[in-house]
Protein backbone atom coordinates (compact mmCIF):
# COMPACT_ATOMS: atom_id res chain seq x y z
CA UNK A 1 0.00 0.00 0.00
CA UNK A 2 1.42 3.37 -1.02
CA UNK A 3 1.66 6.24 1.45
CA UNK A 4 -0.98 8.20 -0.50
CA UNK A 5 -3.56 5.40 -0.42
CA UNK A 6 -2.86 4.72 3.26
CA UNK A 7 -3.27 8.43 4.03
CA UNK A 8 -6.58 8.61 2.16
CA UNK A 9 -8.02 5.50 3.83
CA UNK A 10 -6.88 6.50 7.31
CA UNK A 11 -8.15 10.04 6.80
CA UNK A 12 -11.59 8.77 5.78
CA UNK A 13 -11.84 6.68 8.97
CA UNK A 14 -10.72 9.61 11.14
CA UNK A 15 -13.32 11.86 9.50
CA UNK A 16 -16.10 9.34 10.06
CA UNK A 17 -15.12 9.10 13.74
CA UNK A 18 -15.12 12.85 14.26
CA UNK A 19 -18.25 13.56 12.25
CA UNK A 20 -20.30 10.65 13.56
CA UNK A 21 -18.98 10.17 17.07
CA UNK A 22 -17.67 13.62 17.99
CA UNK A 23 -14.32 12.17 19.04
CA UNK A 24 -11.84 9.42 18.46
CA UNK A 25 -10.27 11.17 15.51
CA UNK A 26 -6.96 12.01 17.11
CA UNK A 27 -6.94 8.63 18.85
CA UNK A 28 -7.04 7.03 15.42
CA UNK A 29 -4.96 9.61 13.55
CA UNK A 30 -1.81 9.38 15.64
CA UNK A 31 -1.47 5.56 15.51
CA UNK A 32 -2.20 5.64 11.77
CA UNK A 33 0.52 8.23 11.19
CA UNK A 34 3.03 6.22 13.24
CA UNK A 35 2.25 2.64 12.18
CA UNK A 36 0.98 3.10 8.62
CA UNK A 37 2.82 6.21 7.47
CA UNK A 38 5.99 5.86 9.57
CA UNK A 39 5.98 9.29 11.21
CA UNK A 40 8.00 9.61 14.38
CA UNK A 41 5.82 10.19 17.48
CA UNK A 42 6.55 13.93 17.80
CA UNK A 43 5.70 14.65 14.16
CA UNK A 44 2.67 12.33 14.30
CA UNK A 45 1.25 14.15 17.30
CA UNK A 46 1.56 17.56 15.66
CA UNK A 47 0.24 16.30 12.32
CA UNK A 48 -2.66 14.65 14.14
CA UNK A 49 -3.59 17.94 15.77
CA UNK A 50 -3.54 19.70 12.37
CA UNK A 51 -5.77 17.00 10.84
CA UNK A 52 -8.17 16.88 13.77
CA UNK A 53 -8.46 20.68 14.05
CA UNK A 54 -9.41 21.17 10.41
CA UNK A 55 -11.74 18.17 10.38
CA UNK A 56 -13.41 19.21 13.63
CA UNK A 57 -14.17 22.68 12.26
CA UNK A 58 -15.83 21.09 9.24
CA UNK A 59 -17.89 18.65 11.31
CA UNK A 60 -18.77 21.36 13.85
CA UNK A 61 -20.34 23.56 11.18
CA UNK A 62 -22.74 20.79 10.15
CA UNK A 63 -23.77 19.95 13.71
CA UNK A 64 -24.22 23.66 14.51
CA UNK A 65 -26.62 24.11 11.60
CA UNK A 66 -28.75 21.28 13.02
CA UNK A 67 -28.77 22.82 16.49
CA UNK A 68 -26.70 20.02 18.03
CA UNK A 69 -24.12 22.24 19.78
CA UNK A 70 -24.55 23.41 23.38
CA UNK A 71 -22.45 26.55 22.92
CA UNK A 72 -22.39 27.72 26.53
CA UNK A 73 -21.36 24.33 27.88
CA UNK A 74 -18.81 23.79 25.10
CA UNK A 75 -17.19 27.18 25.56
CA UNK A 76 -16.93 26.63 29.33
CA UNK A 77 -15.24 23.29 28.70
CA UNK A 78 -12.90 24.76 26.11
CA UNK A 79 -11.98 27.92 28.01
CA UNK A 80 -11.29 25.99 31.20
CA UNK A 81 -9.08 23.52 29.37
CA UNK A 82 -6.77 25.82 27.40
CA UNK A 83 -4.24 26.66 30.14
CA UNK A 84 -4.16 23.13 31.64
CA UNK A 85 -3.60 21.74 28.14
CA UNK A 86 -0.56 23.96 27.64
CA UNK A 87 0.90 23.23 31.08
CA UNK A 88 0.35 19.48 30.78
CA UNK A 89 1.92 19.54 27.33
CA UNK A 90 5.09 21.04 28.79
CA UNK A 91 5.23 18.29 31.43
CA UNK A 92 4.65 15.58 28.82
CA UNK A 93 7.89 16.50 27.05
CA UNK A 94 9.80 15.21 30.09
CA UNK A 95 7.90 11.90 30.42
CA UNK A 96 9.14 8.70 28.71
CA UNK A 97 7.14 7.70 25.64
CA UNK A 98 6.17 4.34 27.14
CA UNK A 99 4.64 6.04 30.18
CA UNK A 100 2.60 8.31 27.91
CA UNK A 101 1.31 5.37 25.86
CA UNK A 102 0.34 3.37 28.97
CA UNK A 103 -1.41 6.42 30.45
CA UNK A 104 -3.24 7.00 27.20
CA UNK A 105 -4.37 3.37 27.05
CA UNK A 106 -5.66 3.46 30.62
CA UNK A 107 -7.62 6.68 30.11
CA UNK A 108 -9.12 5.46 26.82
CA UNK A 109 -10.16 2.15 28.41
CA UNK A 110 -11.79 3.94 31.37
CA UNK A 111 -13.71 6.23 29.03
CA UNK A 112 -14.88 3.25 26.97
CA UNK A 113 -16.02 1.39 30.09
CA UNK A 114 -18.06 4.38 31.18
CA UNK A 115 -19.70 4.61 27.76
CA UNK A 116 -20.69 0.93 27.88
CA UNK A 117 -22.62 1.34 31.14
CA UNK A 118 -26.41 1.51 30.82
CA UNK A 119 -27.64 5.05 30.39
CA UNK A 120 -28.93 6.62 33.58
CA UNK A 121 -32.64 7.29 33.74
CA UNK A 122 -33.86 10.82 34.14
CA UNK A 123 -34.08 14.03 32.07
CA UNK A 124 -32.25 14.24 28.78
CA UNK A 125 -30.26 17.23 29.97
CA UNK A 126 -29.24 18.73 33.31
CA UNK A 127 -28.93 22.44 34.15
CA UNK A 128 -25.47 23.66 33.24
CA UNK A 129 -23.49 24.49 36.37
CA UNK A 130 -20.56 26.74 35.37
CA UNK A 131 -18.28 25.57 38.19
CA UNK A 132 -18.90 21.91 37.45
CA UNK A 133 -18.50 22.31 33.70
CA UNK A 134 -15.33 24.37 34.20
CA UNK A 135 -13.77 21.79 36.51
CA UNK A 136 -14.45 18.94 34.10
CA UNK A 137 -13.22 21.04 31.19
CA UNK A 138 -9.95 21.79 33.00
CA UNK A 139 -9.41 18.09 33.58
CA UNK A 140 -10.09 17.31 29.94
CA UNK A 141 -7.70 20.04 28.85
CA UNK A 142 -4.94 18.62 31.06
CA UNK A 143 -5.44 15.15 29.58
CA UNK A 144 -5.46 16.63 26.09
CA UNK A 145 -2.16 18.42 26.66
CA UNK A 146 -0.53 15.45 28.37
CA UNK A 147 -1.54 12.86 25.77
CA UNK A 148 -1.41 15.10 22.70
CA UNK A 149 -4.93 14.32 21.45
CA UNK A 150 -8.01 16.39 20.72
CA UNK A 151 -9.88 15.10 23.75
CA UNK A 152 -13.21 14.26 22.14
CA UNK A 153 -12.98 10.64 23.27
CA UNK A 154 -13.21 11.99 26.84
CA UNK A 155 -15.41 15.01 26.13
CA UNK A 156 -18.33 12.96 24.81
CA UNK A 157 -18.69 10.66 27.86
CA UNK A 158 -18.15 13.66 30.15
CA UNK A 159 -20.83 15.68 28.41
CA UNK A 160 -23.24 12.73 28.52
CA UNK A 161 -22.45 11.38 31.98
CA UNK A 162 -21.55 14.52 33.93
CA UNK A 163 -23.79 17.18 32.38
CA UNK A 164 -26.54 14.92 31.02
CA UNK A 165 -26.48 16.04 27.39
CA UNK A 166 -28.20 13.81 24.86
CA UNK A 167 -25.72 11.82 22.77
CA UNK A 168 -26.13 13.78 19.52
CA UNK A 169 -25.85 17.11 21.34
CA UNK A 170 -22.76 15.85 23.17
CA UNK A 171 -21.25 14.83 19.82
CA UNK A 172 -21.70 18.31 18.36
CA UNK A 173 -20.54 20.09 21.50
CA UNK A 174 -17.42 17.93 21.79
CA UNK A 175 -16.34 19.13 18.35
CA UNK A 176 -16.24 22.70 19.68
CA UNK A 177 -14.08 21.54 22.61
CA UNK A 178 -11.78 19.60 20.26
CA UNK A 179 -11.31 22.60 17.97
CA UNK A 180 -10.36 25.02 20.73
CA UNK A 181 -8.11 22.60 22.64
CA UNK A 182 -6.34 21.44 19.48
CA UNK A 183 -5.67 25.03 18.41
CA UNK A 184 -4.23 25.77 21.85
CA UNK A 185 -2.00 22.68 21.66
CA UNK A 186 -0.82 23.63 18.17
CA UNK A 187 -0.02 27.15 19.36
CA UNK A 188 2.09 25.72 22.18
CA UNK A 189 4.00 23.59 19.65
CA UNK A 190 4.69 26.44 17.21
CA UNK A 191 8.37 27.03 16.59
CA UNK A 192 9.48 23.68 18.00
CA UNK A 193 11.01 22.63 14.67
CA UNK A 194 8.57 19.81 13.96
CA UNK A 195 8.70 18.69 10.33
CA UNK A 196 5.44 17.77 8.60
CA UNK A 197 5.29 15.89 5.30
CA UNK A 198 2.48 17.84 3.65
CA UNK A 199 2.38 15.40 0.72
CA UNK A 200 0.92 12.96 3.26
CA UNK A 201 -0.78 15.33 5.72
CA UNK A 202 -2.65 17.17 2.93
CA UNK A 203 -4.43 14.12 1.42
CA UNK A 204 -5.01 12.71 4.92
CA UNK A 205 -6.73 15.95 5.95
CA UNK A 206 -8.79 16.19 2.75
CA UNK A 207 -10.08 12.63 3.17
CA UNK A 208 -10.87 13.30 6.83
CA UNK A 209 -12.87 16.44 5.97
CA UNK A 210 -14.94 14.52 3.41
CA UNK A 211 -15.39 11.64 5.86
CA UNK A 212 -16.64 14.05 8.51
CA UNK A 213 -19.62 14.99 6.35
CA UNK A 214 -20.51 11.33 5.91
CA UNK A 215 -20.08 10.77 9.63
CA UNK A 216 -22.42 13.63 10.41
CA UNK A 217 -25.10 12.10 8.16
CA UNK A 218 -24.50 8.74 9.85
CA UNK A 219 -25.09 10.34 13.25
CA UNK A 220 -28.49 11.60 12.07
CA UNK A 221 -29.61 8.08 11.09
CA UNK A 222 -28.26 5.91 13.91
CA UNK A 223 -29.67 5.77 17.47
CA UNK A 224 -27.60 7.59 20.09
CA UNK A 225 -27.05 4.43 22.17
CA UNK A 226 -25.75 2.60 19.09
CA UNK A 227 -23.26 5.40 18.44
CA UNK A 228 -22.23 5.35 22.09
CA UNK A 229 -21.60 1.59 22.04
CA UNK A 230 -19.67 1.74 18.76
CA UNK A 231 -17.57 4.57 20.12
CA UNK A 232 -16.76 2.56 23.26
CA UNK A 233 -15.59 -0.51 21.33
CA UNK A 234 -13.40 1.64 19.06
CA UNK A 235 -11.76 3.12 22.17
CA UNK A 236 -11.19 -0.31 23.71
CA UNK A 237 -9.59 -1.64 20.54
CA UNK A 238 -7.22 1.33 20.27
CA UNK A 239 -6.35 1.14 23.97
CA UNK A 240 -5.49 -2.57 23.82
CA UNK A 241 -3.43 -2.21 20.65
CA UNK A 242 -1.32 0.66 21.97
CA UNK A 243 -0.88 -1.00 25.37
CA UNK A 244 0.35 -4.20 23.73
CA UNK A 245 2.72 -2.24 21.50
CA UNK A 246 4.16 -0.38 24.49
CA UNK A 247 4.63 -3.38 26.80
CA UNK A 248 5.33 -6.33 24.49
CA UNK A 249 8.97 -6.39 23.28
Amino acid sequence: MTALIAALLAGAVVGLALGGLGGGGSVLAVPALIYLLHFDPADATTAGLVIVTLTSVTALSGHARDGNVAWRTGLLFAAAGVVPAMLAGAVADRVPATVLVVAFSAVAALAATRMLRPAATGPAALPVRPARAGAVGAGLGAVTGFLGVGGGFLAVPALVGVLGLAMRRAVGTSLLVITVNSLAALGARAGTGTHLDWAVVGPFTAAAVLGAWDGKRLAAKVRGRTLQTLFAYVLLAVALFMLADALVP
Side-chain angles (χ1 to χ4, degrees):
M1 183 184 298
T2 67
L4 177 59
I5 294 175
L8 291 172
L9 291 175
V13 173
V14 168
L16 284 171
L18 277 169
L21 303 174
S26 55
V27 179
L28 301 173
V30 172
L33 289 165
I34 294 173
Y35 298 111
L36 293 179
L37 298 167
H38 309 296
F39 277 50
D40 65 55
D43 290 347
T45 301
T46 302
L49 286 169
V50 171
I51 293 162
V52 171
T53 299
L54 296 175
T55 309
S56 296
V57 170
T58 301
L60 175 62
S61 64
H63 283 275
R65 280 197 299 272
D66 291 343
N68 288 330
V69 179
W71 292 98
R72 183 186 178 194
T73 301
L75 288 174
L76 281 169
F77 265 63
V82 168
V83 172
M86 291 182 174
L87 294 175
V91 173
D93 289 339
R94 299 173 173 83
V95 176
T98 300
V99 174
L100 288 175
V101 172
V102 172
F104 171 87
S105 301
V107 169
L110 286 172
T113 301
R114 184 185 184 101
M115 295 292 283
L116 287 171
R117 292 175 183 169
T121 58
L126 301 174
V128 176
R129 297 180 176 85
R132 190 182 192 188
V136 176
L140 290 172
V143 172
T144 296
F146 188 67
L147 300 177
V149 298
F153 69 106
L154 293 174
V156 170
L159 289 166
V160 171
V162 176
L163 296 179
L165 294 185
M167 184 62 181
R168 288 193 178 93
R169 196 161 175 81
V171 167
T173 304
S174 75
L175 290 165
L176 174 61
V177 178
I178 293 169
T179 299
V180 175
N181 283 347
S182 296
L183 284 171
L186 281 172
R189 293 166 188 263
T192 59
T194 301
H195 170 72
L196 298 183
D197 184 354
W198 289 103
V200 172
V201 176
F204 197 125
T205 304
V209 168
L210 293 175
W213 286 109
D214 289 333
K216 185 258 180 184
R217 288 195 289 269
L218 176 66
K221 297 177 181 178
V222 181
R223 292 186 303 119
R225 181 60 185 170
T226 301
L227 284 175
Q228 187 170 327
T229 301
L230 175 61
F231 189 18
Y233 282 121
V234 169
L235 288 181
L236 280 175
V238 171
L240 291 173
F241 174 81
M242 297 192 76
L243 183 64
D245 182 69
L247 299 180
V248 177

